[in-house]
Amino acid sequence: MHRGSNQLQLADFNQAVVLDAIRSTPGVSRAGVQRASGLSSQTISNITRRLIDDRLIRESSPGAGARGRPSIPLTVNPDGAFSVGVHIDPARLTIVLLDLSGKVRRKQQLRTPQATNPTEVTTLLADQAASLVRRAGVDRDRVLGLGLAAPGPLDVQAGVVLDPPQLPNWRNVQLRSDLHEATNLPVLLDKDVTAAATAELRSSRGTATDFVFLYLGSGVGAAVVADNQVLRGTTNNIGEIGDIIVDPNAEPLDGFSRRGGLAAACVPEALVIQAARLGLLPLPDLNDYLAIDDSCTELCTLASSGHGGAARILARAARGVAVGLGVLVNLLDVPRVIVGGPLWNRLSETFLPVLPRLVTQELVATHDGLVVQGSAVGEHVAAQGAAELIMDHFLAPRHSALMVG
Amino acid sequence: MHRGSNQLQLADFNQAVVLDAIRSTPGVSRAGVQRASGLSSQTISNITRRLIDDRLIRESSPGAGARGRPSIPLTVNPDGAFSVGVHIDPARLTIVLLDLSGKVRRKQQLRTPQATNPTEVTTLLADQAASLVRRAGVDRDRVLGLGLAAPGPLDVQAGVVLDPPQLPNWRNVQLRSDLHEATNLPVLLDKDVTAAATAELRSSRGTATDFVFLYLGSGVGAAVVADNQVLRGTTNNIGEIGDIIVDPNAEPLDGFSRRGGLAAACVPEALVIQAARLGLLPLPDLNDYLAIDDSCTELCTLASSGHGGAARILARAARGVAVGLGVLVNLLDVPRVIVGGPLWNRLSETFLPVLPRLVTQELVATHDGLVVQGSAVGEHVAAQGAAELIMDHFLAPRHSALMVG
């Protein structure tokens, strides 16, 4: 597979510029690429010829009704390149196969094996990735690499998962090199929230250029998109918001260092502890993220079916999330908040009807019509974003993250 | 004066590109400008000739020891253009005169007239600005405009001060057009924190490219600099952080909607209320920001002279500020925090020795060597930034804010 990736490597910066123009504007003509890139028409002619020969782009027939010499629309060849995206949440593993047109061709969700060595997870992921590629029937030589989204803090430079509070067995795991060895694919590691915001930005196609992405999974985090750029932070660990105090009157919760913090207000572990305290559910094993996740699902089902106590727990969580979002919107002055992640499908029914009003109550400046919306991508948003980071790494004019392999 | 500004308007985008290259790299040669701009040598030769004729730039003698044909260093002419910067804090007005080389030629601080009509402040500012220009002996036709930094929320688009909590008489004040009428200068209005971060970024000359600027004045605010760009927010109202909960056990304070919020932890009004409660100082008239400011100075002097009660109030304020900064650093993953504003000189003695440790305690990810430093510019940082925004507006290739006149 590694050989294939080398074959696909773009020859030069100009080639990346041209491919990028065609990726971002499907159907663009050579003249359009020239306007967008500033390259000479001869250069563009040579490069598009090479990209067609490499099967990365293709020509369509010109639209009817064009006057004069018809310009030939250029689009990427969806089968020209693929990337695998993996999202590791302590409770759920999500794997997607993305094609060059940005479409998710296959996706899969698994329960994250608990209480195991990280190596077992690496092996599982490598097997699943290979099987996904095989079942999709795509040319393995066309798979550029594997992007990995994981909870922070990460050492993105070294490809290491440092000591994420949500992955207690994962201390200083050389995730990037381990997974590279297991798959023989180039591997890129990035933070879950950054990957998720990347996918959300891409899928919004220009309608959302400045927003905060709130990630709700086994943990809580945020990403910031300003002027069409996903901010990364200096150490690529942007978005640690779990300690923001949102509920000063909250009781202390075991396992949460910050009383009344955002994490203690809304992550599944906190919600099931609260439910157990009220006798709604038995307390699950708090070292088992699967058990927590299942309990949380049960709590959300209870609330959904009209159980008052369960509904009150989620309503309080929504208020906490709103206070946290108020901090982010007041600080960053964004017009839009997008909420997503593995927990979101279970909370959106309770949260979406109340969040816009609750967040607006928190705002200092007038933000007429602050938009609060659920992810347009869905639960696999971080996995898709990780796959998109691979595409960008190999095909875009600027490299977005570090890579081995 | 207006005529002069028109005379100074740059003829075209390329001229702005060339001048920008010379402003940012004093002593650059024509060849260096060519490399930086991508313009042809003929274009650069024509433009530099025009800029020299307009007295915006000048040639120095080539350095000794240059081999071959010596290249002539180009620098801006400091007297080529000026801008006035004004910072309105509820307690202090700061006015500076900036020259084209970025040097503050004159500066002045006044007590903000209280309980007056905003028009009186406008008239006072116009008189002071005219007197500053006159006393500096500079050519009035060379003054490009007046930049105004004010507390938010602002409608930067309309040039209106909306309803800043710190300026109770200033509701929907047409500050930009009023001041334009009073001075006949082009006027640009921007937020205090944005202006301050602009000056701080410029003065750091590349050493600080990503940081949070914490503004401490009659109010508290923040600005965010990411990858050498000052973020503005969608409505230019970035940095409203006064409501971030930093001290959940704090008692409620009159006039502060958010119990335990950052504003209630550190702004002068909050500090003097706390001091009065402990009987350290008489409670000043809380509608009079000058009286509050004077009381706060007294409190800081007490603390500085070893008064235990006063020192404890400031120590608690430092802890609150550290929790707030922890929120910002955890969220934004910046390597540096810069603190400044009109209150900073009085607090730095207490705050600087403890802030780095207190903030680091709040951090989730490892931020080895987080830098916490005082403003390198000084108390006039927001005024200087406002003047720099004027320079950029007229002379930089991209316009940074909206303007009348």
Side-chain angles (χ1 to χ4, degrees):
Chain A
M1 265 173 155
H2 198 194
R3 193 175 47 87
S5 306
N6 282 335
Q7 284 177 343
L8 278 174
Q9 264 175 13
L10 295 176
D12 58 25
F13 188 79
N14 287 348
Q15 199 173 341
V17 167
V18 171
L19 182 57
D20 207 50
I22 299 167
R23 282 175 74 203
S24 60
T25 316
V28 68
S29 66
R30 284 175 176 76
V33 173
Q34 195 186 342
R35 279 190 298 275
S37 67
L39 296 170
S40 74
S41 57
Q42 186 56 51
T43 303
I44 287 166
S45 175
N46 293 341
I47 289 177
T48 50
R49 174 49 47 209
R50 229 183 302 148
L51 291 172
I52 290 168
D53 289 346
D54 289 346
R55 292 192 289 137
L56 289 170
I57 66 167
R58 57 191 184 189
E59 298 177 326
S60 320
S61 7
R67 279 173 299 184
R69 188 179 156 203
S71 66
I72 300 165
L74 300 171
T75 53
V76 295
N77 171 19
D79 290 334
F82 297 88
S83 61
V84 177
V86 172
H87 172 209
I88 300 182
D89 178 85
R92 304 191 179 201
L93 300 175
T94 312
I95 312 183
V96 303
L97 181 71
L98 194 76
D99 73 22
L100 183 51
S101 75
K103 198 179 153 208
V104 171
R105 294 280 274 264
R106 292 257 163 176
K107 67 182 172 199
Q108 193 175 354
Q109 204 176 62
L110 303 165
R111 292 158 72 87
T112 310
Q114 300 294 301
T116 59
N117 194 310
T119 315
E120 295 174 45
V121 176
T122 309
T123 309
L124 173 68
L125 286 173
D127 290 348
Q128 293 294 326
S131 136
L132 204 69
V133 170
R134 197 172 52 244
R135 280 182 290 130
V138 308
D139 181 353
R140 286 169 59 109
D141 284 352
R142 295 258 157 196
V143 179
L144 295 171
L146 185 151
L148 194 56
L154 304 175
D155 183 341
V156 167
Q157 208 83 5
V160 170
V161 176
L162 291 171
D163 183 16
Q166 304 295 326
L167 289 169
N169 293 327
W170 293 58
R171 202 183 172 93
N172 292 322
V173 175
Q174 310 283 328
L175 198 53
R176 194 173 57 187
S177 57
D178 290 354
L179 209 49
H180 168 54
E181 272 177 37
T183 61
N184 204 23
L185 283 172
V187 176
L188 173 156
L189 172 67
D190 216 328
K191 213 178 158 183
D192 46 12
V193 292
T194 305
T198 301
E200 204 67 45
L201 174 65
R202 211 63 59 84
S203 86
S204 82
R205 296 186 189 286
T207 59
T209 58
D210 298 77
F211 61 89
V212 160
F213 186 90
L214 181 75
Y215 173 93
L216 296 173
S218 291
V220 58
V224 182
V225 175
D227 200 15
N228 269 313
Q229 299 292 319
V230 181
L231 301 189
R232 314 184 64 83
T234 310
T235 71
N236 293 281
N237 280 303
I238 201 160
E240 296 291 344
I241 57 173
D243 277 357
I244 296 177
I245 300 168
V246 298
D247 191 354
N249 304 316
E251 287 170 35
L253 289 188
D254 278 350
F256 292 87
S257 56
R258 180 78 76 178
R259 183 175 68 81
L262 179 57
C266 74
V267 306
E269 185 176 348
L271 298 179
V272 301
I273 294 175
Q274 291 172 40
R277 280 189 183 169
L278 294 176
L280 306 184
L281 295 170
L283 188 68
D285 174 0
L286 296 181
N287 292 315
D288 182 341
Y289 279 95
L290 278 178
I292 293 170
D293 199 60
D294 290 341
S295 273
C296 185
T297 304
E298 211 175 322
L299 174 67
C300 295
T301 309
L302 273 179
S304 204
S305 67
H307 187 291
R312 277 189 293 279
I313 289 175
L314 298 194
R316 184 168 193 165
R319 288 196 300 275
V321 164
V323 174
L325 287 174
V327 169
L328 303 184
V329 176
N330 280 329
L331 169 62
L332 296 165
D333 185 18
V334 287
R336 187 182 300 257
V337 169
I338 302 179
V339 194
L343 184 61
W344 177 239
N345 279 359
R346 285 168 277 172
L347 292 182
S348 59
E349 185 188 329
T350 312
F351 277 34
L352 259 191
V354 296
L355 269 189
R357 182 179 52 80
L358 292 175
V359 179
T360 302
Q361 282 172 5
E362 298 292 318
L363 302 183
V364 173
T366 42
H367 289 261
D368 291 338
L370 174 79
V371 176
V372 180
Q373 67 188 65
S375 165
V377 177
E379 285 209 330
H380 61 287
V381 60
Q384 179 172 328
E388 282 170 357
L389 288 168
I390 286 283
M391 289 287 185
D392 288 349
H393 179 88
F394 281 102
L395 306 178
R398 268 181 278 172
H399 282 187
S400 52
L402 293 165
M403 162 95 56
V404 289
Chain B
M1 266 176 156
H2 198 193
R3 194 175 46 86
S5 306
N6 281 336
Q7 283 176 345
L8 278 173
Q9 264 176 12
L10 294 176
D12 57 26
F13 188 80
N14 287 348
Q15 197 172 341
V17 168
V18 171
L19 182 57
D20 208 50
I22 299 167
R23 284 174 73 203
S24 60
T25 316
V28 67
S29 66
R30 284 176 177 77
V33 173
Q34 196 186 341
R35 279 191 298 275
S37 67
L39 296 169
S40 73
S41 58
Q42 186 55 50
T43 302
I44 287 167
S45 174
N46 293 341
I47 290 177
T48 51
R49 173 52 43 212
R50 228 184 301 149
L51 291 171
I52 290 169
D53 290 346
D54 290 346
R55 291 192 290 137
L56 289 170
I57 66 168
R58 58 192 183 189
E59 296 177 328
S60 322
S61 11
R67 280 173 299 183
R69 188 182 159 201
S71 66
I72 301 165
L74 302 170
T75 53
V76 295
N77 171 21
D79 290 334
F82 295 88
S83 60
V84 177
V86 172
H87 173 207
I88 300 181
D89 178 86
R92 302 190 182 204
L93 300 175
T94 312
I95 312 183
V96 302
L97 181 70
L98 194 76
D99 73 22
L100 184 51
S101 75
K103 198 178 152 211
V104 171
R105 295 280 273 264
R106 292 257 163 178
K107 65 182 174 200
Q108 193 175 354
Q109 204 176 62
L110 302 165
R111 293 159 70 87
T112 309
Q114 301 294 303
T116 60
N117 194 310
T119 314
E120 294 173 46
V121 177
T122 309
T123 309
L124 173 67
L125 286 173
D127 290 349
Q128 293 295 324
S131 136
L132 204 69
V133 170
R134 197 173 52 244
R135 280 181 291 129
V138 309
D139 181 354
R140 287 170 57 108
D141 285 351
R142 295 257 159 198
V143 179
L144 294 171
L146 185 150
L148 195 57
L154 304 175
D155 183 341
V156 168
Q157 207 83 6
V160 171
V161 177
L162 292 171
D163 183 17
Q166 304 295 327
L167 289 169
N169 292 327
W170 293 58
R171 200 183 172 93
N172 292 323
V173 176
Q174 310 282 328
L175 197 53
R176 193 172 59 187
S177 57
D178 290 355
L179 208 49
H180 168 55
E181 272 177 38
T183 61
N184 206 22
L185 282 171
V187 176
L188 172 156
L189 172 67
D190 215 328
K191 213 178 159 183
D192 46 13
V193 292
T194 305
T198 301
E200 204 66 47
L201 174 65
R202 211 63 60 85
S203 86
S204 80
R205 295 187 191 287
T207 60
T209 58
D210 297 78
F211 60 89
V212 160
F213 186 90
L214 181 75
Y215 173 93
L216 296 173
S218 291
V220 58
V224 182
V225 174
D227 199 15
N228 269 313
Q229 299 293 318
V230 181
L231 300 189
R232 313 185 64 84
T234 310
T235 71
N236 293 282
N237 280 304
I238 201 161
E240 296 291 344
I241 57 173
D243 276 356
I244 296 177
I245 300 168
V246 298
D247 191 353
N249 303 315
E251 288 171 36
L253 289 187
D254 279 351
F256 292 87
S257 56
R258 180 78 75 177
R259 184 176 67 80
L262 179 57
C266 74
V267 306
E269 184 176 349
L271 298 179
V272 301
I273 294 175
Q274 292 171 40
R277 280 189 184 169
L278 294 176
L280 305 185
L281 296 169
L283 188 69
D285 175 359
L286 295 180
N287 292 315
D288 182 341
Y289 278 94
L290 277 179
I292 293 170
D293 198 60
D294 289 342
S295 274
C296 185
T297 304
E298 211 175 320
L299 174 67
C300 295
T301 308
L302 274 178
S304 203
S305 67
H307 187 292
R312 277 190 293 279
I313 288 175
L314 297 194
R316 183 168 192 164
R319 288 197 299 275
V321 164
V323 174
L325 287 174
V327 169
L328 303 184
V329 175
N330 279 328
L331 169 62
L332 296 166
D333 185 18
V334 287
R336 188 183 298 259
V337 169
I338 302 179
V339 194
L343 184 60
W344 177 239
N345 279 359
R346 284 168 277 172
L347 293 182
S348 59
E349 185 188 328
T350 312
F351 278 33
L352 259 192
V354 296
L355 269 188
R357 181 178 53 79
L358 291 175
V359 179
T360 302
Q361 283 172 4
E362 297 293 318
L363 303 184
V364 173
T366 42
H367 289 261
D368 291 337
L370 174 81
V371 176
V372 180
Q373 66 186 65
S375 165
V377 178
E379 285 210 327
H380 60 285
V381 60
Q384 179 170 328
E388 282 170 357
L389 288 169
I390 285 283
M391 289 285 184
D392 288 348
H393 180 89
F394 282 101
L395 305 178
R398 266 182 279 173
H399 282 187
S400 53
L402 294 164
M403 163 92 58
V404 290

